[in-house]
Amino acid sequence: MRRVLAAIAAFALGAGLAVVGAAAPASAHTGDLLANAVCNTATGQYDVTYTLKLTNVGSTLTGTTKWRVGTTSFQGTPTNANGMDRGPISSKGNTTLTLGTESLPGTTKGGGPWVYAYTSWNDGYGKGSDGRIEGLKGDCAPPAPKEIPVPVKPSIVDLCGTSGDHVVEPRATEGVTWSISPVAGGKAKATATAKPGYVFSDGSAVKSWDFEFTDVPCVVEIPVPPKPAATEACGVDGDAVILPDDSDTVTWKLEGDPKTGAATAVATAVEGYEFPGGTTEQRYDYTFTNEPCPVIVPEPVTPEIVDLCDVDRDEVLLPEETEQLVWHVEGEPSSGSVTAVAVTKGHHVFEDGTTERRFELSFTNEPCPIELPVPAKPAAVDLCGVDDDRIVLPADTDTVSWAIEGDATTGSAVAVATAAEGHVFESGETSERFVFEFDQTECVPPTLAGSSAAALCVANVPWIDFDVVLTDPDQQSTGHTAYLVLSDGTHTERVELGPLGEDGSVDGRVLWPGAAIDEAGNPTAWPGWKQLPNGRWVVTEENFGWTHALTSASIEVNPELSIDLEYPPAVVACAPSSKSTGTPGTPVTSGDGDGQGLASTGFAGGPAIGLAGGLVLAGALALAVQLILRRKRA
């Protein structure tokens, strides 16, 4: 019974705590919707700002608030976000949200419209809020407008035709905005509107004017034609006015007769055209003499000049005088210019009836240039390919500057030497050009073909014999030292083989990495082996042990050559004795002790290897049988 009562008490207590727990959030979250109104004197309206103050909200809770503006009648605190057309606005913990703003007429009295909000939190709780502005006095009004003069009627431009017609917009004035329509159908409208806060002196805020435009065809203005040419020969037979041909804009006529001594050429503008000033007629008067015909002399040729450097040697070479012409010079060559004058004698005249011809002659008066020797042709570098081809220009001096035209890499270029101002080369030229042609043959890349390296065991010592030959006919290689590079895919060793000789080759023998000998040439270390304190040698991954399993080998100079290379096989020894019976570490000798070893690419003593291989196979078979028996016993 006690257990039953205890269970009932525990159930009741748990249920009570559950109810308290469920009710706690409802009383924890609160929202206070406030409104604040400010009179905007510029607009004459109340600017109302709505805020929502959230309190009793856990600092880690996030919420979303939606809201709307209702009417002046209260509609009840919302229980959900339905019908909320503004937001959402996010929040976290206790905060004050600015929902937004509304404008109310400045004459509003009492309360404004009700505003409703509903906030939902991520703990599943929601809270509705409401509020509005109260106590408005309806006394928010804009300031009295400023009185400004009534605008005057704008002027118009009414030209011939219609393309240039328009209303001239008045200059900008305080408080006035102009709206002017384009001319359409011969009409246009101009409207002056007082800006907010302004009023015209007659109490109005808008003034309009209507305009009408004519459509009189335009008269095209044409330039005044030049005065027609006239001929006046001796006597009267050759006197004449040469009228131009009539055109689409001007017609010509001649009044009077040149043979009577006077005539007038009249130019009349065709209908629809006029000369500057609005006139339609231009008159040109001519008078003619009746003098006897003079003797015509041919036109003189322009005199030659001698224009040398320095002014002392400049001169004018006048033609010889004749019975018809006499020559003279006005001015001095040293001044830079002179005038040669030819004057007719007696009754002689030129074909145009004049008696004088003047020829303006100019002299440079430049000082004589300093003569320079023609520079030697610059050197050029013409190698295989094009990348390194170039012209080697001399350095510029105070008297000669150098430049290159073209590009040597295209196969052709020109070196240009230019004499400085006041200088000239002995050739009489101020520049000398040197043309270069470049061979475009591609470079032959360097190669290590024919090079080799082989591993061999000599007196129980692993060696590498090498023979490196670099073939580089165009000197393209940038390296001159040979290296042997060994790698097992993880480790890499770079062994220097030595510098190349003048013939581009080097050969010799180097110890296999990890091998060592004493002064007498006896082995003291082998790659992949180490000596224990008791004198025994054991296999190890240290001391270049990885070179027993090479994945790649190459000879490198720049270029490089991949080769096949591996550590000498076990049949030729090149390793310490695994069971030393004499001095600890005494190496096993190879061959018959004559110092000759076997390279890693081949070996001697086939029968011995066959016997050794049979023994190894038998031992492996015996070991396998023993392992099988042990497993069965187990």
Side-chain angles (χ1 to χ4, degrees):
M1 187 64 181
R2 290 179 181 177
R3 292 181 179 179
V4 172
L5 293 176
I8 294 173
F11 174 78
L13 179 60
L17 291 175
V19 171
V20 172
S27 62
H29 305 64
T30 62
D32 188 8
L33 201 159
L34 304 174
N36 181 50
V38 177
C39 178
N40 189 332
T41 58
T43 62
Q45 294 181 318
Y46 288 111
D47 291 339
V48 184
T49 302
Y50 298 103
T51 59
L52 178 64
K53 185 176 182 180
L54 301 175
T55 57
N56 298 323
V57 180
S59 61
T60 60
L61 293 180
T62 58
T64 300
T65 300
K66 298 191 70 176
W67 66 290
R68 68 180 178 88
V69 179
T71 65
T72 55
S73 298
F74 182 69
Q75 299 173 358
T77 303
T79 58
N80 54 55
N82 294 340
M84 303 290 170
D85 57 356
R86 307 190 187 191
I89 302 173
S90 299
S91 63
K92 184 175 183 180
N94 292 325
T95 185
T96 299
L97 303 178
T98 299
L99 301 180
T101 60
E102 286 285 312
S103 294
L104 300 178
T107 57
T108 304
K109 293 184 179 181
W114 283 91
V115 176
Y116 306 96
Y118 190 84
T119 304
S120 299
W121 283 272
N122 61 346
D123 62 351
Y125 179 75
K127 175 69 176 178
S129 304
D130 55 70
R132 69 169 179 170
I133 188 68
E134 301 282 357
L136 296 177
K137 297 180 179 181
D139 58 354
C140 180
K146 180 179 180 181
E147 188 175 282
I148 56 177
V150 176
V152 297
K153 183 178 181 179
S155 61
I156 66 172
V157 175
D158 187 6
L159 304 176
C160 59
T162 60
S163 62
D165 294 349
H166 65 279
V167 178
V168 179
E169 182 174 346
R171 188 170 61 183
T173 57
E174 179 186 2
V176 180
T177 300
W178 285 94
S179 175
I180 298 177
S181 68
V183 178
K187 296 182 178 182
K189 189 180 187 69
T191 302
T193 304
K195 295 180 180 179
Y198 294 86
V199 66
F200 297 132
S201 58
D202 62 357
S204 66
V206 179
K207 290 291 181 181
S208 297
W209 295 270
D210 294 317
F211 301 92
E212 292 188 358
F213 296 82
T214 63
D215 191 12
V216 178
C218 293
V219 176
V220 180
E221 185 179 279
I222 58 176
V224 175
K227 184 177 181 179
T231 60
E232 182 178 8
C234 53
V236 295
D237 294 336
D239 296 345
V241 176
I242 305 173
L243 295 178
D245 294 334
D246 291 345
S247 66
D248 295 338
T249 58
V250 178
T251 60
W252 290 89
K253 68 178 181 178
L254 184 64
E255 296 178 355
D257 187 351
K259 293 182 179 181
T260 65
T264 301
V266 181
T268 303
V270 175
E271 184 177 358
Y273 297 89
E274 64 183 14
F275 299 119
T279 63
T280 59
E281 183 179 274
Q282 294 292 326
R283 302 177 66 85
Y284 305 94
D285 297 324
Y286 300 85
T287 57
F288 300 89
T289 64
N290 194 14
E291 296 180 357
C293 294
V295 179
I296 304 298
V297 298
E299 290 291 328
V301 298
T302 302
E304 296 181 357
I305 65 171
V306 176
D307 186 13
L308 304 175
C309 56
D310 295 334
V311 297
D312 295 338
R313 297 184 292 171
D314 293 346
E315 60 177 320
V316 179
L317 304 178
L318 294 176
E320 294 182 0
E321 291 190 10
T322 66
E323 294 179 354
Q324 302 172 333
L325 292 177
V326 62
W327 290 85
H328 70 274
V329 175
E330 297 176 357
E332 295 293 335
S334 59
S335 66
S337 64
V338 299
T339 303
V341 184
V343 182
T344 61
K345 292 182 179 180
H347 297 289
H348 296 84
V349 295
F350 296 112
E351 189 174 358
D352 61 357
T354 62
T355 61
E356 183 180 271
R357 289 289 183 265
R358 301 177 68 84
F359 302 91
E360 301 296 333
L361 307 174
S362 299
F363 297 86
T364 58
N365 285 349
E366 294 181 357
C368 292
I370 300 172
E371 192 172 87
L372 300 173
V374 175
K377 184 175 182 178
V381 176
D382 187 6
L383 304 175
C384 61
V386 298
D387 294 340
D388 295 325
D389 291 351
R390 64 188 184 279
I391 299 173
V392 182
L393 293 181
D396 290 347
T397 66
D398 294 338
T399 57
V400 179
S401 61
W402 289 88
I404 294 177
E405 295 178 358
D407 187 350
T409 61
T410 65
S412 179
V414 179
V416 182
T418 302
E421 184 177 359
H423 295 73
V424 67
F425 295 118
E426 292 174 345
S427 62
E429 302 293 334
T430 57
S431 65
E432 293 290 340
R433 300 172 63 83
F434 303 92
V435 179
F436 293 84
E437 300 294 336
F438 294 88
D439 185 9
Q440 301 292 290
T441 303
E442 293 294 332
C443 295
V444 177
T447 177
L448 293 174
S451 301
S452 64
L456 69 163
C457 191
V458 179
N460 206 29
V461 178
W463 294 88
I464 301 174
D465 274 2
F466 61 88
D467 186 358
V468 181
V469 179
L470 173 66
T471 302
D472 187 13
D474 288 328
Q475 303 298 313
Q476 296 297 295
S477 175
T478 58
H480 298 285
T481 300
Y483 295 90
L484 178 63
V485 181
L486 307 177
S487 176
D488 68 342
T490 301
H491 308 84
T492 299
E493 178 66 11
R494 186 178 175 88
V495 180
E496 182 174 342
L497 303 180
L500 301 180
E502 294 183 0
D503 61 351
S505 67
V506 62
D507 58 38
R509 176 179 292 178
V510 293
L511 285 170
W512 188 280
I517 58 176
D518 59 19
E519 294 180 355
N522 297 314
T524 59
W526 292 267
W529 291 84
K530 69 177 180 180
Q531 190 175 28
L532 300 178
N534 63 3
R536 289 182 59 83
W537 288 86
V538 295
V539 175
T540 178
E541 294 182 357
E542 301 173 0
N543 192 31
F544 295 95
W546 57 267
T547 61
H548 286 265
L550 296 179
T551 60
S552 66
S554 62
I555 297 174
E556 294 185 0
V557 176
N558 185 19
E560 64 181 59
L561 176 69
S562 295
I563 60 172
D564 293 328
L565 185 67
E566 61 182 12
Y567 193 80
V571 296
V572 295
C574 276
S577 172
S578 60
K579 297 181 179 180
S580 175
T581 58
T583 302
T586 301
V588 178
T589 59
S590 65
D592 54 4
D594 60 356
Q596 297 298 317
L598 183 63
S600 64
T601 57
F603 60 93
I609 286 299
L611 179 59
L615 293 175
V616 171
L617 182 59
L621 181 59
L623 179 60
V625 171
Q626 185 177 6
L627 291 175
I628 292 172
L629 291 176
R630 286 182 180 178
R631 288 185 179 180
K632 288 184 176 181
R633 293 192 190 101

